[in-house]
Amino acid sequence: MRVGELRELATEKGFSQSAKGLKKKPTSMPNPNFTTPPLTPSQERAIRLSHPVLSSLPPSDLDVVFLGTASCSPSITRGVSCTALRLNWRSGGIWLFDCGESTQLQLQKSPDVKPGKVNKIFLTHSHGDHTFGLPGLLCLIGQDRDKGAEPLDIYGPEGLREWLRVTVR
């Protein structure tokens, strides 16, 4: 390529030439203070039903719902580790895997997962970003659960029972 062709290519790609060499021309930046409002559950359902692929899928035996995918600490838009497995067979129910901080808030926001339907909780390990949401979640589940419902099963690493007793005391 000749020098003239390189200059033309650089200009097309948004570069300008100065005494110090090629510099990228500034582009307009999005406003960091502007955020889109969150969708309501009915808006989310409408999008899912109108989606060409999602609407044509047959019902499945189970659904995976990501309630939190962040690590360490929750943010306004992302909760800490929590995944719900919604079972659509037999008696149904919901199994939760990990219970990070703010899980109860994410559960309340979710149109797909109801706290009273949770019947098993699995904690993969005892780090805080996987367990600190458990006490609050148990309170929320207790308020939404029927009096005659089966007991909630919680599975986790050694020491979990004692940690729960001390925390909920």
Side-chain angles (χ1 to χ4, degrees):
M1 248 183 197
R2 293 189 345 244
V3 174
E5 292 172 335
L6 285 174
R7 281 191 191 125
E8 287 175 27
L9 183 63
T11 305
E12 286 175 18
K13 297 292 181 188
F15 288 90
S16 65
Q17 189 168 7
S18 69
K20 294 181 181 177
L22 288 178
K23 290 170 74 177
K24 182 79 170 161
K25 291 180 185 175
T27 57
S28 62
M29 296 294 291
N31 183 351
N33 297 323
F34 177 77
T35 57
T36 56
L39 295 175
T40 64
S42 60
Q43 288 172 325
E44 287 181 8
R45 274 191 214 99
I47 290 170
R48 222 180 359 242
L49 292 175
S50 65
H51 191 278
V53 174
L54 296 178
S55 63
S56 64
L57 290 175
S60 65
D61 290 339
L62 55 94
D63 298 313
V64 177
V65 180
F66 296 99
L67 296 172
T69 57
S71 64
C72 194
S73 62
S75 69
I76 293 172
T77 56
R78 291 175 65 193
V80 182
S81 302
C82 184
T83 305
L85 183 65
R86 192 173 58 184
L87 307 172
N88 300 324
W89 44 274
R90 287 194 293 169
S91 62
I94 295 171
W95 296 359
L96 290 182
F97 293 87
D98 289 331
C99 222
E101 190 178 353
S102 84
T103 294
Q104 70 186 56
L105 296 175
Q106 295 300 103
L107 200 60
Q108 289 172 325
K109 290 179 186 178
S110 173
D112 300 320
V113 181
K114 302 294 177 222
K117 299 286 185 188
V118 174
N119 53 8
K120 293 186 190 301
I121 298 175
F122 299 88
L123 300 177
T124 57
H125 58 283
S126 58
H127 288 169
D129 61 334
H130 293 260
T131 59
F132 284 167
L134 188 58
L137 178 67
L138 291 176
C139 292
L140 177 67
I141 290 173
Q143 292 172 353
D144 197 34
R145 212 162 163 82
D146 295 332
K147 297 290 182 196
E150 290 288 319
L152 180 67
D153 294 326
I154 302 174
Y155 303 89
E158 190 174 339
L160 177 64
R161 181 187 307 253
E162 187 173 341
W163 178 79
L164 264 177
R165 285 185 177 152
V166 169
T167 307
V168 181
R169 194 179 285 175

